[in-house]
């Protein structure tokens, strides 16, 4: 089959690789219908996250079960399924409590020896613990299929940030980061009942989506000016719930500064940089909490799926460029240069 | 009257100062029956927290209302009352939500221009918002009076840490710090239903109190050895709820390393040092939350008071040295040299 392989920073190729096969009775082989490129893939692309030459890449996908191991109980050939961005056994203590990202048998698509999502097919370990079935009819609904793909990462990650930030009905929320995760954070905050949602972002294409997703205010300033603007919008106090969806020291610093005393930062931006950007003295004096991390999106799919199926929420607008598998290298360039927000791949 | 004054690092004196008087109708003047020295006072004593020469010191006290301003509704002359370690107006948005430490009209005893607790009397601003009435009979019960004094800071602070750490019935809790706050954290965790409480500490006098307060295990090792010991006691996973009651980079590092994936650190140690001790990458991968800060103890007194009055909990053993007001300088030395755990003052 053909799949995306990262050979070195800025050297992404689509090439022939061995077809996936059932290796364990709990595996399925999945034919990919939709995949996409994640902002976090860019860290590997730019060489800021180490990869071994030849590793696969891509961790967001949905597709059709093509073959199922003898130990797979929940899925049959032909089922339409979505995969969260890590696999997990579904039986351990962590999986039982909804923290599938800490499953000792879990793993990340594209890690050494595993398939990545940006390819024609994927071997899925622990299929019963990992995959979630989708209605077969969705396979013929292009818009819906795209929206469902967001369940594999960005929508669940935005939801995780909103939960970590403590969004409740009536909350005032601020969102740092205008990427797909930040936008899904806006959507998740709205879904959880936030009354006011302040999106920080300078790119009108993105902030327009933020408004569609529920943002009531947009702050285009950066740094200290952004902090001042959010404080002015909140009577000087800051937002009770702040979503941090970037992962740099500067974004975390901004998040701390715009959080109201007693509030929480829900952080889902993968941390980068040598420092944390956290001023613990300020957080201490103002009782600001920090909650979040890598999102256990598998745990959230059952809650979010019905709302996506019913159209109550539609994250599909975060995908603003659609390409075929051969164009994946160009897709990375587009996201790297920020000419695309999030690239959808139809293998 | 006589009160404790800090002139310079290591220069603490008990001297004549002006008698407190009613300055605002919402003030009361309180005659101090019991006060004490806090671990955080040592930061000023050691010169690590700046003080202006001549500032008062001491922020934990209880006593008798000696004079009440015309606007004070809730207290009359002769009432026995306890003061939390900050005053607050009791009417603002923050006070209403139980975050009295963020009250815009609030302040800290001993700040410039205010009385400190380590003296014969204190002018209490916003008495109705600040003070809590105690049963008059407690004034003649020496042990109980000492236990009630813990409501002014250490017990409520330990409770705040336990709440921040997310202690629930059945929790496994680890407590970093064997000072009075850490020990009260043990007590608070037990009170909230923790099943297993691992106290980290090397001083047997202190760990014996930890065991009296509910610790089921004691880890005497430090640094990496302590981390290994806690992990061994918890099947390799760490504790779901970790109380950080020191405030150094090393103690925070230890706290992160002994927290189970998906768990929380409740931090109440006043942060010291240039860094945070937080490895945000580790916290991200393992979904470790950080919650806490300066404890709004005023909010917790109504919940904790009945249990202290009934004897369900008795924090009085944290006070292991009793002195008169004249001996306060010696009391600081004793705490600085760790020959005393927490010094009780009977003015």
């Amino acid at each position: 089959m053909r799949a995306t392989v990262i050979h070195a920073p800025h050297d992404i190729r689509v090439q022939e690789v061995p077809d996936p096969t059932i290796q364990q009775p709990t595996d399925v082989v999945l034919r990919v219908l939709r995949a996409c490129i994640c902002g976090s893939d860019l860290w590997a692309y730019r060489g800021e996250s180490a990869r071994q030459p030849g590793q696969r890449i891509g961790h967001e996908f949905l597709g059709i079960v093509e073959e199922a191991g003898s130990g797979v109980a929940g899925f049959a050939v032909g089922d339409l399924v979505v995969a969260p961005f890590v696999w997990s056994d579904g039986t351990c203590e962590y999986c039982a409590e909804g923290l599938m990202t800490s499953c000792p048998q879990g793993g990340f698509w594209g890690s050494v020896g595993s398939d990545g999502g940006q390819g024609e097919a994927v071997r899925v370990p622990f299929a019963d613990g990992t995959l979630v079935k989708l209605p077969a009819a969705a396979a013929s609904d292009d818009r819906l299929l795209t929206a469902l793909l967001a369940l594999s990462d960005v929508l669940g990650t935005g939801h995780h940030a909103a939960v970590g930030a403590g969004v409740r009905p009536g909350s005032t929320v601020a969102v740092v980061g205008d990427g797909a995760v930040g936008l899904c954070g806006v959507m998740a905050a709205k879904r959880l009942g936030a009354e006011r949602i302040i999106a920080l972002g300078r790119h009108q294409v993105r902030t327009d989506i933020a408004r569609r997703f529920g943002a009531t205010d947009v702050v285009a300033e950066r740094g200290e000016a952004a902090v001042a603007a959010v404080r002015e919008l909140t009577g000087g106090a800051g937002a009770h719930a702040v979503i941090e969806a970037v992962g740099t020291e500067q974004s975390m610093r901004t998040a701390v500064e715009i959080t109201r005393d007693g509030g929480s930062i829900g952080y889902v931006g993968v941390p980068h940089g040598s420092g944390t950007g956290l001023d613990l003295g300020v957080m201490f004096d103002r009782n600001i909490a920090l909650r979040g991390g890598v999102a256990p999106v598998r745990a959230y799919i059952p809650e979010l799926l019905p709302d996506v199926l019913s159209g109550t929420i539609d994250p599909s607008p975060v995908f603003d460029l659609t390409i075929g598998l051969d164009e994946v290298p160009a897709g990375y360039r587009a996201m790297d240069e920020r000419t695309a927000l999030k690239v959808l791949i139809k293998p």
Side-chain angles (χ1 to χ4, degrees), chain A:
Chain A
M1 70 161 177
R2 284 153 61 249
T4 307
V5 176
I6 180 162
H7 291 269
H10 299 276
D11 182 2
I12 295 263
R13 301 178 213 164
V14 177
Q15 64 187 64
E16 277 296 321
V17 299
D19 285 336
T21 57
I22 301 292
Q23 295 178 16
Q24 301 290 331
T26 48
D27 291 350
V28 309
V29 170
L30 183 151
R31 175 72 35 187
V32 176
L33 284 185
R34 293 284 184 282
C36 54
I37 303 175
C38 182
S40 68
D41 291 332
L42 295 179
W43 297 111
Y45 181 74
R46 293 167 181 160
E48 298 186 50
S49 299
R51 290 290 185 280
Q52 291 183 26
Q55 265 185 254
R56 308 286 180 79
I57 194 165
H59 54 266
E60 303 158 282
F61 57 98
L62 56 73
I64 301 285
V65 175
E66 199 167 65
E67 195 182 350
S70 58
V72 174
F75 302 100
V77 172
D79 281 349
L80 179 68
V81 294
V82 62
F85 67 84
V86 297
W87 71 78
S88 52
D89 65 17
T91 57
C92 73
E93 196 179 1
Y94 289 106
C95 285
E97 60 193 59
L99 194 66
M100 288 77 168
T101 47
S102 289
C103 172
Q105 300 200 89
F108 190 77
W109 308 110
S111 55
V112 174
S114 82
D115 294 318
Q118 295 159 7
E120 291 179 323
V122 173
R123 179 182 76 88
V124 177
F126 302 107
D128 282 330
T130 303
L131 299 171
V132 177
K133 199 181 294 196
L134 302 172
S140 55
D141 182 337
D142 189 63
R143 197 276 312 158
L144 179 58
L145 211 53
T146 301
L148 291 167
L149 177 63
L151 290 167
S152 69
D153 186 346
V154 281
L155 181 57
T157 295
H159 178 71
H160 190 53
V163 169
V167 176
R168 283 183 292 268
S171 290
T172 293
V173 182
V175 181
V176 182
D178 61 1
V181 170
L183 296 172
C184 285
V186 170
M187 175 172 278
K190 166 89 173 169
R191 181 179 169 277
L192 292 172
E195 191 173 298
R196 190 162 190 191
I197 303 172
I198 303 166
L200 281 72
R202 291 178 305 156
H203 304 275
Q204 200 186 333
V205 171
R206 297 173 180 218
T207 56
D208 283 351
I209 297 175
R211 288 192 188 274
R212 280 176 70 181
F213 283 8
T216 54
D217 301 86
V218 167
V219 166
E221 290 86 351
R222 299 194 81 177
E224 282 309 307
V227 171
V230 174
R231 290 201 162 262
E232 192 179 331
L233 286 169
T234 53
H240 238 129
V242 174
I243 290 175
E244 196 292 307
V246 180
T248 62
E249 289 176 49
Q250 177 57 46
S251 63
M252 194 61 97
R253 197 169 294 122
T254 298
V256 170
E257 289 178 352
I258 63 177
T259 305
R260 185 179 182 280
D261 290 22
S264 293
I265 300 167
Y267 76 114
V268 291
V270 184
H272 280 82
S274 56
T276 62
L278 297 172
D279 186 328
L280 207 53
V282 168
M283 292 173 71
F284 183 88
D285 287 346
R286 307 210 282 112
N287 271 278
I288 294 173
L290 181 71
R291 288 188 296 203
V294 56
V297 297
R298 174 62 184 80
Y300 298 134
I301 295 176
E303 176 182 346
L304 298 170
L305 176 58
D307 283 4
V308 176
L309 289 174
S310 69
T312 307
I313 54 174
D314 175 15
S316 67
V318 300
F319 299 97
D320 62 344
L321 176 62
T322 301
I323 60 174
L325 191 56
D326 287 336
E327 300 160 283
V328 165
Y332 273 84
R333 281 196 299 277
M335 281 186 60
D336 187 38
E337 294 162 3
R338 291 176 74 93
T339 56
L341 170 56
K342 191 166 179 72
V343 173
L344 179 69
I345 304 165
K346 296 182 176 177

Short mmCIF file of all heavy atoms in Angstrom, two decimals, chain A residues 35-84:
data_model
loop_
_atom_site.label_atom_id
_atom_site.label_comp_id
_atom_site.label_asym_id
_atom_site.label_seq_id
_atom_site.Cartn_x
_atom_site.Cartn_y
_atom_site.Cartn_z
N ALA A 35 -8.35 10.96 6.43
CA ALA A 35 -7.30 11.23 7.40
C ALA A 35 -7.03 12.73 7.34
O ALA A 35 -7.66 13.46 6.55
CB ALA A 35 -6.04 10.42 7.08
N CYS A 36 -6.10 13.18 8.16
CA CYS A 36 -5.80 14.61 8.10
C CYS A 36 -4.43 14.89 8.71
O CYS A 36 -3.76 13.98 9.20
CB CYS A 36 -6.89 15.44 8.79
SG CYS A 36 -7.26 14.95 10.47
N ILE A 37 -4.03 16.13 8.61
CA ILE A 37 -2.74 16.56 9.16
C ILE A 37 -3.02 17.41 10.40
O ILE A 37 -3.90 18.27 10.37
CB ILE A 37 -1.92 17.36 8.12
CG1 ILE A 37 -1.72 16.53 6.86
CG2 ILE A 37 -0.57 17.78 8.72
CD1 ILE A 37 -1.02 17.29 5.71
N CYS A 38 -2.27 17.13 11.45
CA CYS A 38 -2.47 17.80 12.74
C CYS A 38 -1.40 18.86 12.94
O CYS A 38 -0.26 18.70 12.48
CB CYS A 38 -2.39 16.75 13.84
SG CYS A 38 -2.68 17.40 15.51
N GLY A 39 -1.75 19.90 13.65
CA GLY A 39 -0.75 20.91 14.02
C GLY A 39 0.45 20.27 14.71
O GLY A 39 1.60 20.70 14.53
N SER A 40 0.19 19.21 15.48
CA SER A 40 1.31 18.58 16.19
C SER A 40 2.21 17.79 15.24
O SER A 40 3.38 17.54 15.55
CB SER A 40 0.79 17.67 17.32
OG SER A 40 0.13 16.55 16.80
N ASP A 41 1.70 17.38 14.06
CA ASP A 41 2.56 16.75 13.06
C ASP A 41 3.64 17.72 12.59
O ASP A 41 4.73 17.29 12.15
CB ASP A 41 1.75 16.30 11.83
CG ASP A 41 0.80 15.14 12.13
OD1 ASP A 41 1.10 14.34 13.04
OD2 ASP A 41 -0.23 15.04 11.45
N LEU A 42 3.33 19.00 12.66
CA LEU A 42 4.29 19.99 12.20
C LEU A 42 5.54 20.03 13.08
O LEU A 42 6.62 20.41 12.63
CB LEU A 42 3.65 21.39 12.16
CG LEU A 42 2.51 21.56 11.15
CD1 LEU A 42 1.97 22.98 11.24
CD2 LEU A 42 2.99 21.27 9.73
N TRP A 43 5.39 19.66 14.36
CA TRP A 43 6.58 19.63 15.22
C TRP A 43 7.60 18.61 14.70
O TRP A 43 8.80 18.85 14.72
CB TRP A 43 6.21 19.32 16.67
CG TRP A 43 5.32 20.37 17.30
CD1 TRP A 43 4.01 20.23 17.65
CD2 TRP A 43 5.68 21.72 17.63
NE1 TRP A 43 3.53 21.40 18.18
CE2 TRP A 43 4.52 22.34 18.19
CE3 TRP A 43 6.85 22.48 17.52
CZ2 TRP A 43 4.51 23.66 18.63
CZ3 TRP A 43 6.84 23.80 17.96
CH2 TRP A 43 5.68 24.37 18.50
N ALA A 44 7.07 17.47 14.22
CA ALA A 44 7.96 16.47 13.60
C ALA A 44 8.49 16.99 12.27
O ALA A 44 9.68 16.87 11.95
CB ALA A 44 7.21 15.15 13.41
N TYR A 45 7.59 17.58 11.49
CA TYR A 45 7.95 18.10 10.17
C TYR A 45 9.08 19.12 10.27
O TYR A 45 9.99 19.16 9.44
CB TYR A 45 6.71 18.72 9.54
CG TYR A 45 6.88 19.29 8.15
CD1 TYR A 45 6.99 18.45 7.05
CD2 TYR A 45 6.89 20.67 7.94
CE1 TYR A 45 7.12 18.97 5.76
CE2 TYR A 45 7.01 21.20 6.67
CZ TYR A 45 7.14 20.35 5.58
OH TYR A 45 7.27 20.86 4.31
N ARG A 46 8.99 19.94 11.32
CA ARG A 46 9.99 21.01 11.49
C ARG A 46 11.25 20.53 12.21
O ARG A 46 12.18 21.30 12.44
CB ARG A 46 9.39 22.17 12.27
CG ARG A 46 8.29 22.90 11.52
CD ARG A 46 7.51 23.82 12.45
NE ARG A 46 6.44 24.51 11.73
CZ ARG A 46 5.38 25.07 12.31
NH1 ARG A 46 5.24 24.99 13.63
NH2 ARG A 46 4.45 25.67 11.59
N GLY A 47 11.24 19.27 12.62
CA GLY A 47 12.40 18.74 13.33
C GLY A 47 12.44 19.08 14.79
O GLY A 47 13.43 18.83 15.47
N GLU A 48 11.35 19.65 15.31
CA GLU A 48 11.35 20.01 16.74
C GLU A 48 10.98 18.82 17.62
O GLU A 48 11.24 18.83 18.82
CB GLU A 48 10.42 21.19 16.97
CG GLU A 48 10.88 22.43 16.20
CD GLU A 48 10.07 23.68 16.52
OE1 GLU A 48 9.90 23.95 17.71
OE2 GLU A 48 9.61 24.35 15.58
N SER A 49 10.33 17.84 17.04
CA SER A 49 10.11 16.57 17.74
C SER A 49 10.87 15.51 16.94
O SER A 49 10.71 15.41 15.72
CB SER A 49 8.63 16.21 17.78
OG SER A 49 7.90 17.19 18.48
N ALA A 50 11.68 14.74 17.63
CA ALA A 50 12.55 13.78 16.94
C ALA A 50 11.75 12.63 16.33
O ALA A 50 10.79 12.15 16.92
CB ALA A 50 13.57 13.23 17.93
N ARG A 51 12.10 12.23 15.16
CA ARG A 51 11.53 11.04 14.52
C ARG A 51 12.68 10.26 13.91
O ARG A 51 13.67 10.83 13.43
CB ARG A 51 10.56 11.42 13.40
CG ARG A 51 9.25 12.04 13.87
CD ARG A 51 8.34 11.03 14.57
NE ARG A 51 7.05 11.62 14.92
CZ ARG A 51 6.82 12.40 15.97
NH1 ARG A 51 7.80 12.68 16.81
NH2 ARG A 51 5.61 12.88 16.21
N GLN A 52 12.55 8.93 13.92
CA GLN A 52 13.54 8.12 13.23
C GLN A 52 13.22 8.15 11.73
O GLN A 52 12.05 8.08 11.35
CB GLN A 52 13.49 6.68 13.74
CG GLN A 52 13.99 6.54 15.17
CD GLN A 52 14.01 5.10 15.65
OE1 GLN A 52 14.12 4.19 14.84
NE2 GLN A 52 13.91 4.92 16.95
N PRO A 53 14.25 8.25 10.89
CA PRO A 53 14.00 8.25 9.44
C PRO A 53 13.20 7.01 9.06
O PRO A 53 13.55 5.89 9.46
CB PRO A 53 15.40 8.21 8.83
CG PRO A 53 16.31 8.74 9.90
CD PRO A 53 15.69 8.33 11.20
N GLY A 54 12.13 7.20 8.32
CA GLY A 54 11.31 6.06 7.91
C GLY A 54 10.08 5.83 8.75
O GLY A 54 9.28 4.93 8.44
N GLN A 55 9.89 6.61 9.80
CA GLN A 55 8.67 6.44 10.59
C GLN A 55 7.46 6.89 9.79
O GLN A 55 7.53 7.83 9.00
CB GLN A 55 8.75 7.28 11.89
CG GLN A 55 9.26 6.52 13.10
CD GLN A 55 9.21 7.35 14.38
OE1 GLN A 55 10.24 7.80 14.86
NE2 GLN A 55 8.03 7.52 14.93
N ARG A 56 6.34 6.19 10.02
CA ARG A 56 5.08 6.65 9.44
C ARG A 56 4.59 7.88 10.22
O ARG A 56 5.09 8.16 11.31
CB ARG A 56 4.00 5.56 9.53
CG ARG A 56 4.43 4.23 8.98
CD ARG A 56 4.50 4.21 7.48
NE ARG A 56 4.94 2.87 7.11
CZ ARG A 56 4.10 1.80 7.10
NH1 ARG A 56 2.83 1.94 7.37
NH2 ARG A 56 4.56 0.60 6.79
N ILE A 57 3.58 8.52 9.68
CA ILE A 57 3.06 9.70 10.36
C ILE A 57 1.56 9.83 10.10
O ILE A 57 1.03 9.26 9.13
CB ILE A 57 3.86 10.97 9.96
CG1 ILE A 57 3.56 12.14 10.91
CG2 ILE A 57 3.63 11.32 8.49
CD1 ILE A 57 4.56 13.28 10.82
N GLY A 58 0.90 10.56 10.99
CA GLY A 58 -0.55 10.75 10.90
C GLY A 58 -1.25 9.94 11.98
O GLY A 58 -0.99 8.75 12.14
N HIS A 59 -2.11 10.61 12.75
CA HIS A 59 -2.75 9.90 13.86
C HIS A 59 -4.26 10.15 13.92
O HIS A 59 -4.90 9.87 14.92
CB HIS A 59 -2.08 10.31 15.18
CG HIS A 59 -2.07 11.79 15.41
ND1 HIS A 59 -0.99 12.57 15.05
CD2 HIS A 59 -2.98 12.64 15.92
CE1 HIS A 59 -1.24 13.85 15.36
NE2 HIS A 59 -2.45 13.91 15.88
N GLU A 60 -4.82 10.69 12.84
CA GLU A 60 -6.26 10.96 12.81
C GLU A 60 -6.83 10.29 11.57
O GLU A 60 -6.43 10.64 10.46
CB GLU A 60 -6.50 12.47 12.75
CG GLU A 60 -5.88 13.23 13.90
CD GLU A 60 -5.65 14.71 13.57
OE1 GLU A 60 -4.68 15.03 12.87
OE2 GLU A 60 -6.44 15.54 14.04
N PHE A 61 -7.77 9.38 11.77
CA PHE A 61 -8.33 8.69 10.59
C PHE A 61 -9.62 7.97 10.95
O PHE A 61 -9.86 7.64 12.12
CB PHE A 61 -7.32 7.70 10.00
CG PHE A 61 -6.82 6.66 10.96
CD1 PHE A 61 -7.38 5.38 10.97
CD2 PHE A 61 -5.79 6.94 11.86
CE1 PHE A 61 -6.91 4.40 11.86
CE2 PHE A 61 -5.33 5.98 12.75
CZ PHE A 61 -5.89 4.71 12.75
N LEU A 62 -10.40 7.73 9.92
CA LEU A 62 -11.56 6.85 10.04
C LEU A 62 -11.63 6.03 8.77
O LEU A 62 -11.02 6.38 7.76
CB LEU A 62 -12.85 7.63 10.32
CG LEU A 62 -13.30 8.75 9.40
CD1 LEU A 62 -13.83 8.21 8.08
CD2 LEU A 62 -14.40 9.55 10.07
N GLY A 63 -12.34 4.93 8.85
CA GLY A 63 -12.39 4.08 7.68
C GLY A 63 -13.25 2.85 7.87
O GLY A 63 -14.08 2.78 8.79
N ILE A 64 -13.02 1.87 6.99
CA ILE A 64 -13.83 0.66 6.94
C ILE A 64 -12.99 -0.53 7.39
O ILE A 64 -11.84 -0.68 6.95
CB ILE A 64 -14.31 0.40 5.48
CG1 ILE A 64 -15.12 1.58 4.95
CG2 ILE A 64 -15.09 -0.91 5.38
CD1 ILE A 64 -16.52 1.70 5.48
N VAL A 65 -13.56 -1.35 8.26
CA VAL A 65 -12.86 -2.56 8.69
C VAL A 65 -12.74 -3.51 7.50
O VAL A 65 -13.74 -3.89 6.89
CB VAL A 65 -13.60 -3.25 9.85
CG1 VAL A 65 -12.94 -4.58 10.21
CG2 VAL A 65 -13.65 -2.33 11.08
N GLU A 66 -11.49 -3.87 7.18
CA GLU A 66 -11.24 -4.70 6.01
C GLU A 66 -10.99 -6.15 6.41
O GLU A 66 -11.29 -7.09 5.68
CB GLU A 66 -10.01 -4.17 5.27
CG GLU A 66 -9.89 -4.62 3.86
CD GLU A 66 -8.85 -3.81 3.10
OE1 GLU A 66 -7.65 -3.89 3.47
OE2 GLU A 66 -9.23 -3.08 2.17
N GLU A 67 -10.45 -6.30 7.61
CA GLU A 67 -10.15 -7.64 8.11
C GLU A 67 -10.16 -7.54 9.63
O GLU A 67 -9.70 -6.55 10.19
CB GLU A 67 -8.77 -8.08 7.60
CG GLU A 67 -8.50 -9.56 7.76
CD GLU A 67 -7.08 -9.94 7.29
OE1 GLU A 67 -6.41 -9.08 6.67
OE2 GLU A 67 -6.66 -11.07 7.58
N ALA A 68 -10.70 -8.55 10.31
CA ALA A 68 -10.75 -8.53 11.77
C ALA A 68 -10.13 -9.80 12.32
O ALA A 68 -10.40 -10.89 11.81
CB ALA A 68 -12.19 -8.37 12.26
N GLY A 69 -9.30 -9.65 13.34
CA GLY A 69 -8.69 -10.81 13.98
C GLY A 69 -9.73 -11.67 14.67
O GLY A 69 -10.84 -11.20 14.97
N SER A 70 -9.33 -12.89 14.98
CA SER A 70 -10.30 -13.84 15.56
C SER A 70 -10.77 -13.43 16.95
O SER A 70 -11.82 -13.85 17.41
CB SER A 70 -9.64 -15.23 15.65
OG SER A 70 -8.46 -15.14 16.45
N GLY A 71 -10.00 -12.56 17.61
CA GLY A 71 -10.38 -12.16 18.97
C GLY A 71 -11.15 -10.86 19.02
O GLY A 71 -11.44 -10.35 20.10
N VAL A 72 -11.49 -10.32 17.86
CA VAL A 72 -12.22 -9.04 17.84
C VAL A 72 -13.72 -9.32 17.96
O VAL A 72 -14.29 -10.02 17.12
CB VAL A 72 -11.91 -8.24 16.56
CG1 VAL A 72 -12.79 -6.99 16.48
CG2 VAL A 72 -10.43 -7.86 16.53
N ALA A 73 -14.34 -8.77 18.99
CA ALA A 73 -15.75 -9.06 19.25
C ALA A 73 -16.68 -7.98 18.74
O ALA A 73 -17.81 -8.27 18.32
CB ALA A 73 -15.97 -9.23 20.77
N GLY A 74 -16.21 -6.75 18.74
CA GLY A 74 -17.14 -5.63 18.52
C GLY A 74 -17.24 -5.15 17.09
O GLY A 74 -18.09 -4.31 16.79
N PHE A 75 -16.38 -5.66 16.19
CA PHE A 75 -16.36 -5.12 14.84
C PHE A 75 -16.32 -6.24 13.81
O PHE A 75 -15.72 -7.29 14.05
CB PHE A 75 -15.14 -4.19 14.65
CG PHE A 75 -15.14 -3.06 15.63
CD1 PHE A 75 -14.33 -3.11 16.76
CD2 PHE A 75 -15.95 -1.95 15.44
CE1 PHE A 75 -14.34 -2.07 17.68
CE2 PHE A 75 -15.98 -0.91 16.35
CZ PHE A 75 -15.16 -0.97 17.49
N ALA A 76 -16.95 -5.97 12.69
CA ALA A 76 -16.96 -6.95 11.60
C ALA A 76 -16.51 -6.26 10.31
O ALA A 76 -16.53 -5.03 10.22
CB ALA A 76 -18.37 -7.51 11.42
N VAL A 77 -16.09 -7.07 9.36
CA VAL A 77 -15.66 -6.53 8.07
C VAL A 77 -16.77 -5.65 7.49
O VAL A 77 -17.94 -6.03 7.52
CB VAL A 77 -15.30 -7.69 7.11
CG1 VAL A 77 -15.04 -7.17 5.70
CG2 VAL A 77 -14.07 -8.43 7.65
N GLY A 78 -16.41 -4.48 7.05
CA GLY A 78 -17.38 -3.57 6.46
C GLY A 78 -17.85 -2.47 7.39
O GLY A 78 -18.46 -1.50 6.95
N ASP A 79 -17.56 -2.62 8.69
CA ASP A 79 -17.99 -1.58 9.64
C ASP A 79 -17.25 -0.27 9.39
O ASP A 79 -16.04 -0.26 9.11
CB ASP A 79 -17.69 -2.01 11.10
CG ASP A 79 -18.72 -3.00 11.64
OD1 ASP A 79 -19.77 -3.19 10.98
OD2 ASP A 79 -18.47 -3.57 12.72
N LEU A 80 -17.99 0.82 9.51
CA LEU A 80 -17.37 2.15 9.47
C LEU A 80 -16.97 2.53 10.90
O LEU A 80 -17.81 2.45 11.82
CB LEU A 80 -18.37 3.18 8.92
CG LEU A 80 -17.87 4.63 8.85
CD1 LEU A 80 -16.77 4.80 7.81
CD2 LEU A 80 -19.05 5.57 8.54
N VAL A 81 -15.72 2.89 11.08
CA VAL A 81 -15.21 3.15 12.45
C VAL A 81 -14.30 4.38 12.45
O VAL A 81 -13.69 4.72 11.45
CB VAL A 81 -14.40 1.95 13.00
CG1 VAL A 81 -15.28 0.73 13.21
CG2 VAL A 81 -13.22 1.62 12.07
N VAL A 82 -14.21 5.01 13.62
CA VAL A 82 -13.26 6.10 13.81
C VAL A 82 -12.24 5.67 14.86
O VAL A 82 -12.57 4.97 15.82
CB VAL A 82 -13.97 7.41 14.21
CG1 VAL A 82 -14.71 7.30 15.55
CG2 VAL A 82 -12.98 8.59 14.26
N ALA A 83 -10.99 6.10 14.66
CA ALA A 83 -9.91 5.77 15.60
C ALA A 83 -9.50 7.02 16.36
O ALA A 83 -9.28 8.07 15.74
CB ALA A 83 -8.70 5.22 14.84
N PRO A 84 -9.38 6.94 17.68
CA PRO A 84 -8.77 8.04 18.42
C PRO A 84 -7.26 8.04 18.17
O PRO A 84 -6.73 7.08 17.62
CB PRO A 84 -9.08 7.70 19.87
CG PRO A 84 -9.25 6.22 19.89
CD PRO A 84 -9.74 5.81 18.53
#
